[in-house]
């Protein structure tokens, strides 16, 4: 055991039942936040609903569940040693390998002893008189802490549409985000799958391999690009081990946290023949990098139309039945304006004799019946029903907890017209509450591990500053929160995301949910520069308990040049103020 681990063990043993900090969730964010806060010398507890570490990956065990980020970039970079000792087996890791990795991390840093498993936080109320968060779990245990950090993930609150007769189905039914640990036996079964987002596109080919028949219910057709997944070669594994710094620097300075770089070429500067060649190579290479093969696909609708057209031609070529191909290519949004899926044999699956496709646009689902699914035109008899119907994204996991700030202020009331945050990190009226990858931060638009590490480190710096300066609490000012919330929507309006206003990015997949673009679309590099700038300006836009200053952060007044310069010249480490 190394010195750090011994120290952590000692700290843990002397912890009081009411720690300095509570973290909700033991996925990527919660584990790193626990490790980081412990290193500040704080006592910390993590409360986790699952019986193991993994967060989103603990629950999303459906057939075909696989990460869309390349494995070597979906790794923590805070520890070179950890990075170099872990070996991924494939280009895109399956859920089981990700869970194995997180268990390895938890064991390496002795994290599990500070995690309370099988407990779901149901409420967290701030008590102003004692400057403590009072946290209650579903087993009715109560804790108090100074700092409360939510590490609940963005896509962890499952969405099962409220169909008529939902509970009447006599067969087995599963949501992909709450998949049982035991293997589901599809053999000789008639299976129905509702949903063709990233998840449904991953699960359908796997289910079709095993089921007697698979009926895919599609409401909206979707783009998808081949993942081109493959085992990593020993040369590439060697490259990963020997190039930690380069990999870290690239993913942390890129706009979306991935390793691929956007091409400098514009679509309309290339001949048709050249363009086709570039698309073809990008298609063969596969993965999320397809959209980066030209630098204007994500910004210029006309350029995007050409990329969309290329993908639709590919779908028509793969899918032999013209009727199915027509339904699959009737796509109503710009490529990558909804979360762009990547797949392994998704469109090929429709060539199998045991797979049928139902176009819900023509014949919507009317109800779930004891036998299966009834659409306007027909009743489909099923043995197993798979809901690949997504999540109450970003706000759902937070609003599922009864969170109350000053004067009993309810988070759900502050967010009644859509989420409001400052930087996605804090909400005015909720002192010492930090929301890792909260709405208003880049999160889901990136390779998640990058925004997670950035938030954890920013929060750690802020708490470290407070502890060293005997500060009781920190809180985003209302003005800063209002400015930032508007800024998040203004930035989204400049992008192609507005061509998919029905997406979960806008909250549109949940009936009654307020509409507004939830993640920050200004890019990870810019966002990180803003966060560093804020911290370096004495946490501009936040109010500390030891100061009457209440300055408002106004994003439009800060030029990107200043931000980038600031990023280059100053370190985001407030300890230097001592
Ligand atoms: P998504 O992307 O929200 O996809 C959900 C799918 O379920 C999508 O095809 C929806 O159709 C469909 N859906 C949702 N509600 C209904 C109803 N009421 N009737 C029919 N079809 C419905 O979730 P995923 O889990 O696939 O992906 C989420 C993220 O998880 C993904 O980005 C990865 O990062 C992991 P719609 O398109 O709304 O018409």
């Amino acid at each position: 055991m190394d010195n750090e681990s011994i120290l952590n063990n000692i700290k843990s043993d002397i912890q009081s039942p009411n720690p300095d900090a509570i973290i909700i969730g033991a996925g990527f964010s919660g584990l790193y936040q626990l490790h980081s806060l412990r290193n500040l010398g704080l006592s910390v507890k993590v409360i986790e609903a699952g019986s193991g570490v993994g967060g989103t990956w603990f629950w999303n065990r459906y057939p075909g569940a696989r990460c869309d980020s390349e494995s070597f970039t979906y790794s923590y970079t805070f520890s070179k040693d950890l990075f170099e000792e872990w070996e991924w087996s494939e280009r895109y890791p399956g859920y089981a390998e990700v869970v194995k990795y997180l268990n390895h991390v938890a064991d390496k840093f002795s994290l599990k002893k500070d995690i309370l498993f099988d407990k779901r936080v149901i409420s967290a109320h701030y008590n102003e008189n004692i400057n403590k968060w009072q946290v209650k779990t579903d087993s009715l245990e109560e804790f108090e802490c100074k700092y409360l950090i939510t590490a609940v993930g963005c896509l962890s609150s499952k969405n099962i549409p409220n169909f008529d007769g939902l509970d009447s189905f006599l067969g087995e039914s599963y949501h992909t985000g709450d998949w049982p640990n035991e293997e589901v036996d599809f053999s000789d079964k008639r299976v129905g799958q509702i949903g063709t987002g990233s998840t449904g596109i991953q699960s359908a080919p796997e289910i079709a391999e095993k089921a007697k028949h698979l009926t895919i219910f599609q409401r909206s057709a979707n783009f998808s690009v081949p993942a081109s997944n493959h085992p990593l070669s020993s040369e590439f594994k060697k490259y990963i081990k020997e190039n930690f710094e380069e990999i870290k620097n690239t993913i942390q300075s890129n706009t979306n946290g991935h390793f691929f770089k956007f091409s400098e070429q514009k679509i309309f500067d290339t001949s048709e023949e050249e363009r086709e060649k570039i698309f073809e190579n990008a298609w063969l290479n596969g993965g999320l990098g397809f959209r980066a093969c030209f630098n204007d696909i994500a910004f210029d609708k006309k350029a995007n139309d050409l990329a969309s057209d290329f993908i639709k031609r590919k779908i028509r070529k793969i899918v032999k039945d013209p009727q199915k191909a027509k339904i699959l290519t009737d796509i109503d949004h710009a490529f990558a304006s909804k979360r762009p899926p990547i797949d392994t044999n998704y469109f090929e699956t429709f060539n199998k004799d045991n797979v049928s496709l139902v176009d819900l646009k023509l014949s919507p689902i009317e109800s779930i019946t004891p036998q299966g699914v009834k659409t306007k035109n027909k009743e489909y008899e099923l043995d197993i029903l798979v809901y690949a119907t997504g999540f109450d994204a970003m706000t759902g996991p937070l609003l599922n907890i009864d969170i109350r700030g000053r004067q009993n202020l309810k988070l759900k009331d502050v967010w009644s017209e859509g989420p409001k945050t400052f930087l996605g990190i804090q909400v005015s009226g909720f002192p010492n509450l930090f929301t890792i990858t909260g709405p208003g931060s880049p999160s889901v638009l990136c390779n998640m591990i990058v925004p997670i590490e950035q938030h954890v480190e920013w929060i750690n710096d802020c708490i470290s500053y407070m502890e060293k300066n005997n500060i009781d609490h920190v809180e985003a000012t209302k003005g800063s929160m209002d400015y930032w919330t508007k800024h998040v929507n203004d930035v989204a309006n400049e992008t192609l995301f507005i061509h998919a206003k029905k997406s979960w990015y806008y909250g549109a997949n949940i009936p009654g949910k307020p509409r507004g673009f939830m993640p920050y679309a200004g890019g990870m590099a810019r966002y990180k520069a803003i966060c560093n700038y804020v911290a370096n300006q004495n946490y501009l836009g936040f109010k500390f308990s030891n100061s009457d200053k209440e300055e408002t952060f106004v994003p439009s007044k800060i030029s990107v040049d200043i931000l980038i310069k600031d990023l280059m010249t100053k370190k985001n480490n407030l300890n230097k103020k001592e």
Side-chain angles (χ1 to χ4, degrees):
M1 195 182 280
D2 60 21
N3 286 345
E4 189 180 13
S5 307
I6 293 167
L7 192 67
N8 282 335
N9 274 335
I10 296 167
K11 277 182 205 151
S12 174
D13 290 344
I14 57 168
Q15 271 182 27
S16 72
N18 288 325
D20 297 317
I22 288 181
I23 299 164
I24 309 174
F28 271 95
S29 331
L31 293 181
Y32 182 32
Q33 190 73 73
L34 166 60
H35 176 64
S36 306
L37 286 175
R38 271 199 334 202
N39 284 345
L40 291 183
L42 298 189
S43 60
V44 192
K45 283 274 175 248
V46 176
I47 305 179
E48 165 57 52
S51 58
V53 300
T56 304
W57 294 104
F58 179 85
W59 303 102
N60 279 266
R61 300 180 267 227
Y62 59 88
R66 194 171 282 285
C67 184
D68 286 349
S69 294
E70 295 196 58
S71 54
F72 73 103
T73 66
Y74 202 65
S75 306
Y76 290 114
T77 57
F78 68 83
S79 160
K80 187 167 188 268
D81 183 38
L82 167 66
F83 188 91
E84 288 175 348
E85 78 191 5
W86 182 260
E87 206 168 82
W88 293 103
S89 65
E90 292 177 273
R91 181 179 182 191
Y92 298 100
Y95 73 93
E97 195 170 17
V98 178
V99 172
K100 199 170 158 202
Y101 170 71
L102 287 175
N103 273 288
H104 169 76
V105 173
D107 292 339
K108 178 178 172 75
F109 298 106
S110 313
L111 300 177
K112 287 181 187 164
K113 62 182 185 304
D114 283 329
I115 306 174
L116 305 168
F117 291 106
D118 293 312
K119 293 181 199 304
R120 187 176 285 278
V121 171
I122 53 168
S123 68
H125 296 178
Y126 177 66
N127 184 331
E128 279 187 87
N129 300 323
I130 52 172
N131 186 39
K132 297 267 186 215
W133 280 91
Q134 296 175 314
V135 176
K136 203 183 269 184
T137 70
D138 55 357
S139 43
L140 300 184
E141 281 161 293
E142 294 185 33
F143 301 88
E144 281 181 0
C145 56
K146 178 176 174 185
Y147 303 107
L148 179 64
I149 298 128
T150 60
V152 290
C154 297
L155 296 156
S156 51
S157 176
K158 68 183 177 194
N159 166 43
I160 298 187
N162 191 17
F163 293 121
D164 277 354
L166 189 68
D167 296 330
S168 66
F169 182 55
L170 295 173
E172 300 162 45
S173 60
Y174 306 98
H175 187 279
T176 49
D178 188 9
W179 201 262
N181 219 348
E182 307 74 44
E183 198 176 332
V184 174
D185 183 9
F186 291 107
S187 52
D188 293 325
K189 302 275 170 54
R190 296 161 303 174
V191 182
Q193 176 185 296
I194 304 175
T196 52
S198 288
T199 300
I201 280 175
Q202 287 186 332
S203 58
E206 297 278 328
I207 297 173
E209 279 294 311
K210 295 181 184 139
K212 181 175 168 194
H213 191 88
L214 171 65
T215 306
I216 299 172
F217 296 92
Q218 173 191 284
R219 187 167 69 178
S220 305
N222 217 339
F223 292 103
S224 184
V225 169
S228 299
N229 187 34
H230 52 73
L232 293 180
S233 65
S234 45
E235 295 79 51
F236 195 69
K237 285 179 184 170
K238 187 164 174 280
Y239 165 80
I240 297 170
K241 281 190 197 301
E242 289 174 358
N243 289 281
F244 167 73
E245 298 297 343
E246 186 203 339
I247 294 167
K248 179 174 176 164
N249 288 340
T250 305
I251 63 174
Q252 293 201 345
S253 56
N254 237 347
T255 185
N256 51 23
H258 291 285
F259 194 67
F260 58 81
K261 292 238 168 75
F262 273 78
S263 159
E264 310 229 313
Q265 244 171 331
K266 281 190 190 310
I267 277 197
F268 294 104
D269 291 346
T270 52
S271 69
E272 204 178 324
E273 196 186 332
E274 203 181 338
R275 185 186 307 153
E276 200 66 10
K277 227 193 232 161
I278 292 170
F279 274 143
E280 191 64 41
N281 280 340
W283 180 267
L284 286 177
N285 190 37
L288 292 175
F290 178 83
R291 71 191 130 144
C293 68
F294 289 101
N295 79 356
D296 44 3
I297 292 177
F299 306 101
D300 175 351
K301 179 68 170 57
K302 285 196 177 123
N304 190 288
D305 286 344
L306 290 181
S308 302
D309 177 63
F310 176 85
I311 300 173
K312 285 182 191 174
R313 281 188 278 127
K314 281 288 182 192
I315 299 172
R316 285 187 205 107
K317 217 172 201 174
I318 298 168
V319 179
K320 301 213 167 80
D321 175 345
Q323 186 53 28
K324 282 183 182 167
K326 188 163 176 277
I327 298 170
L328 290 165
T329 50
D330 182 19
I331 303 174
D332 65 359
H333 57 276
F335 169 61
S337 60
K338 277 183 169 181
R339 175 69 154 73
I342 60 175
D343 69 274
T344 301
N345 297 330
Y346 176 63
F347 294 113
E348 288 80 352
T349 297
F350 293 94
N351 294 332
K352 285 171 119 53
D353 292 337
N354 67 333
V355 175
S356 47
L357 174 64
V358 177
D359 184 357
L360 297 179
K361 262 193 196 154
L362 289 180
S363 176
I365 294 176
E366 287 190 336
S367 62
I368 305 297
T369 67
Q371 283 72 40
V373 172
K374 187 173 178 315
T375 67
K376 195 173 147 218
N377 293 345
K378 188 177 164 183
E379 181 167 0
Y380 296 84
E381 291 193 5
L382 304 167
D383 303 304
I384 299 180
L385 185 48
V386 173
Y387 291 97
T389 42
F391 301 90
D392 182 355
M394 305 200 71
T395 52
L398 290 163
L399 293 178
N400 279 344
I401 303 169
D402 173 16
I403 298 180
R404 301 188 194 190
R406 284 186 194 285
Q407 293 161 3
N408 219 21
L409 182 65
K410 293 181 180 164
L411 185 64
K412 83 168 179 346
D413 289 341
V414 179
W415 287 5
S416 61
E417 288 170 11
K420 290 179 175 178
T421 67
F422 181 38
L423 301 174
I425 294 177
Q426 271 214 329
V427 183
S428 179
F430 298 78
N432 291 355
L433 170 69
F434 297 92
T435 51
I436 303 178
T437 62
S441 70
S443 65
V444 291
L445 301 180
C446 303
N447 169 25
M448 278 301 287
I449 189 71
V450 174
I452 284 172
E453 284 197 318
Q454 185 259 340
H455 264 192
V456 167
E457 286 163 15
W458 193 97
I459 291 166
N460 231 53
D461 281 349
C462 181
I463 290 178
S464 166
Y465 177 70
M466 291 171 69
E467 289 296 301
K468 284 177 179 152
N469 293 286
N470 292 319
I471 296 171
D472 289 336
H473 51 79
V474 62
E475 182 181 346
T477 66
K478 184 160 181 317
S480 306
M481 179 173 83
D482 292 344
Y483 266 111
W484 185 255
T485 303
K486 183 176 175 309
H487 179 62
V488 168
N489 275 286
D490 289 348
V491 170
N493 287 338
E494 302 288 310
T495 67
L496 285 185
F497 291 119
I498 53 164
H499 292 281
K501 285 222 161 150
K502 284 197 292 178
S503 75
W504 55 259
Y505 292 148
Y506 280 91
N509 62 329
I510 305 293
K513 185 166 172 168
R515 303 285 169 98
F517 196 78
M518 293 187 288
Y520 179 64
M524 189 60 213
R526 184 171 196 274
Y527 172 81
K528 185 177 172 184
I530 294 172
C531 290
N532 287 358
Y533 175 83
V534 161
N536 286 325
Q537 301 292 315
N538 292 324
Y539 291 94
L540 174 68
F542 290 91
K543 188 176 179 316
F544 286 117
S545 50
N546 66 343
S547 155
D548 289 335
K549 248 182 29 192
E550 186 156 343
E551 284 177 308
T552 295
F553 171 82
V554 183
S556 57
K557 287 197 182 148
I558 299 167
S559 85
V560 178
D561 292 347
I562 293 175
L563 292 171
I564 302 294
K565 200 165 144 239
D566 200 73
L567 184 68
M568 309 292 278
T569 53
K570 292 182 188 171
K571 266 184 77 201
N572 177 25
N573 182 353
L574 268 284
N575 299 342
K576 66 182 180 291
K577 291 211 176 74
E578 287 171 316

